[in-house]
Amino acid sequence: MAGEPNRWGIIYNPKAGSKKAQKRWVAIRDYMDSRNVQFDYVQSEGFGSVERLARTLANNGYRTIVIVGGDGAINDAVNGIMTSDVPDKGEIAFGIIPNGIGNDFAKFWGLDSDDYKGAVDVIINRRLRKVDVGVFSYFDGDKHEVRYFLNAVYMGLGARIVLITNETKRFWGIPLISYLSSLFLVAFERKQHRMHLKVNDEHIRGRIMAVAIGSARGYGLTPSAVPYNGWLDVSVIYRPELRQLVSGLWMLQQGRILNHKTVKPYRTRCVKILRAQNAEVSLDGRLWLDRHFPIEVTVAPEAITLIIPN
């Protein structure tokens, strides 16, 4: 497989998302044909294969790589590009056609999962912008490891929602219902974790419900973050009382969570996570299972080129 300069390399996961999302892929492909787009597409085969396929496309000369999927698939694709052998990774144009349940990063750029034609047209028009990539570094006891993210790292509440959503999919069968039910269960559980963070030389210790480290909006938990200023936004969320929880969920939907009494915001270029006892951790909706601390989260400014709307 060798890519021509103007040919798109597209990755689609037929097993991800709902049946509606799978049917939409057929419509997306037909629309690209009608617009005379030159493309090759590959189907992923399960967890981990999107990253491998993105790396293969990059190594084989494709300079426009498009992911058809949600936040988790975007995360896998970015990790594939960033770990490829291509010396000029920043010259690869990365396009998004949202086609999953979680499309937070796409929404940040005004890409609507119900408007696949608009998303394809964005890639055809090819307006490019360098964006930051979050860097998640740790030592696994044997070697130093790095994972990348575009949206946010979640510890505690946000990551636990991801975990329960994945588990309840088997019961409900419908991803959106699984997500909403897990949000309800976890929010009213209000579980706390003993954490120790270092942000801007300040040590943060105590029982904390959730932490979000966002290069972008982070599902509303870091609403002021933008992925092109070289900074990370951090929201430390302490356990609210029940009445505060209801107001907090409302403020989250309104993009005003930073004004809540139980939230303390920071802006930094480096976060060190020294301890997060029994707290789930996820990157862009992908659970991190290695469970090694300490972790260092930094930002690589303008490390990838995104195709964005005009």
Side-chain angles (χ1 to χ4, degrees):
M1 179 168 51
E4 301 172 9
N6 297 322
R7 199 170 186 88
W8 302 1
I10 300 178
I11 304 170
Y12 165 67
N13 185 358
K15 297 180 180 180
S18 62
K19 290 183 178 179
K20 179 181 178 181
Q22 294 175 24
K23 290 180 180 179
R24 192 184 298 122
W25 162 240
V26 177
I28 292 169
R29 194 173 58 186
D30 290 343
Y31 182 67
M32 289 190 297
D33 286 335
S34 74
R35 293 298 308 273
N36 298 317
V37 174
Q38 294 182 316
F39 67 94
D40 298 314
Y41 79 93
V42 288
Q43 294 184 354
S44 69
E45 300 171 351
F47 182 78
S49 64
V50 171
E51 181 176 340
R52 174 178 54 80
L53 291 170
R55 187 182 304 114
T56 299
L57 289 173
N59 288 337
N60 280 276
Y62 286 87
R63 289 301 172 262
T64 300
I65 295 178
V66 178
I67 185 71
V68 181
D71 290 325
I74 291 170
N75 179 271
D76 290 342
V78 167
N79 275 275
I81 293 171
M82 293 296 292
T83 57
S84 70
D85 297 327
V86 178
D88 55 345
K89 299 175 179 62
E91 298 305 313
I92 296 175
F94 183 58
I96 300 170
I97 301 175
N99 194 42
I101 295 300
N103 297 297
D104 195 57
F105 189 73
K107 289 177 182 177
F108 177 88
W109 297 100
L111 296 171
D112 188 343
S113 59
D114 291 328
D115 183 17
Y116 65 86
K117 292 182 179 180
V120 171
D121 290 342
V122 164
I123 303 172
I124 292 172
N125 293 334
R126 203 175 176 82
R127 180 190 173 195
L128 305 180
R129 177 157 193 171
K130 297 279 189 180
V131 298
D132 302 337
V133 174
V135 184
F136 182 95
S137 307
Y138 63 98
F139 185 70
D140 69 357
D142 181 38
K143 59 184 180 299
H144 290 279
E145 296 283 358
V146 173
R147 294 290 298 174
Y148 300 95
F149 64 95
L150 286 178
N151 197 8
V153 173
Y154 315 94
M155 295 189 298
L157 176 66
R160 187 159 171 75
I161 289 172
V162 173
L163 176 63
I164 295 179
T165 299
N166 290 341
E167 292 177 346
T168 55
K169 277 180 185 177
R170 301 173 187 173
F171 178 77
W172 291 109
I174 302 174
L176 180 58
I177 293 179
S178 300
Y179 171 76
L180 293 175
S181 62
S182 63
L183 177 62
F184 178 84
L185 290 172
V186 172
F188 283 89
E189 178 185 73
R190 293 176 292 161
K191 185 177 180 180
Q192 298 179 94
H193 307 275
R194 293 189 181 276
M195 297 190 190
H196 180 188
L197 315 175
K198 184 180 179 183
V199 182
N200 292 333
D201 295 326
E202 177 182 346
H203 286 269
I204 304 167
R205 298 181 179 90
R207 297 176 67 84
I208 297 169
M209 190 174 74
V211 174
I213 306 169
S215 180
R217 58 183 286 174
Y219 289 96
L221 292 177
T222 52
S224 299
V226 293
Y228 43 76
N229 63 358
W231 292 89
L232 296 168
D233 280 21
V234 182
S235 295
V236 179
I237 305 172
Y238 297 91
R239 189 177 189 267
E241 297 175 3
L242 188 57
R243 60 183 177 82
Q244 291 176 323
L245 175 63
V246 175
S247 64
L249 291 173
W250 171 254
M251 293 171 75
L252 177 66
Q253 294 297 319
Q254 298 297 310
R256 298 188 296 112
I257 192 65
L258 301 184
N259 295 328
H260 198 272
K261 293 180 179 180
T262 63
V263 179
K264 188 171 183 180
Y266 300 83
R267 178 160 286 178
T268 186
R269 287 191 169 93
C270 178
V271 179
K272 290 186 178 180
I273 305 164
L274 304 174
R275 182 188 187 191
Q277 184 176 356
N278 299 322
E280 287 83 9
V281 180
S282 70
L283 290 76
D284 294 343
R286 286 286 188 247
L287 286 170
W288 177 65
L289 303 175
D290 284 349
R291 309 298 303 167
H292 288 275
F293 294 92
I295 301 165
E296 184 173 86
V297 183
T298 56
V299 59
E302 299 185 345
I304 202 165
T305 299
L306 194 68
I307 306 174
I308 65 172
N310 294 318

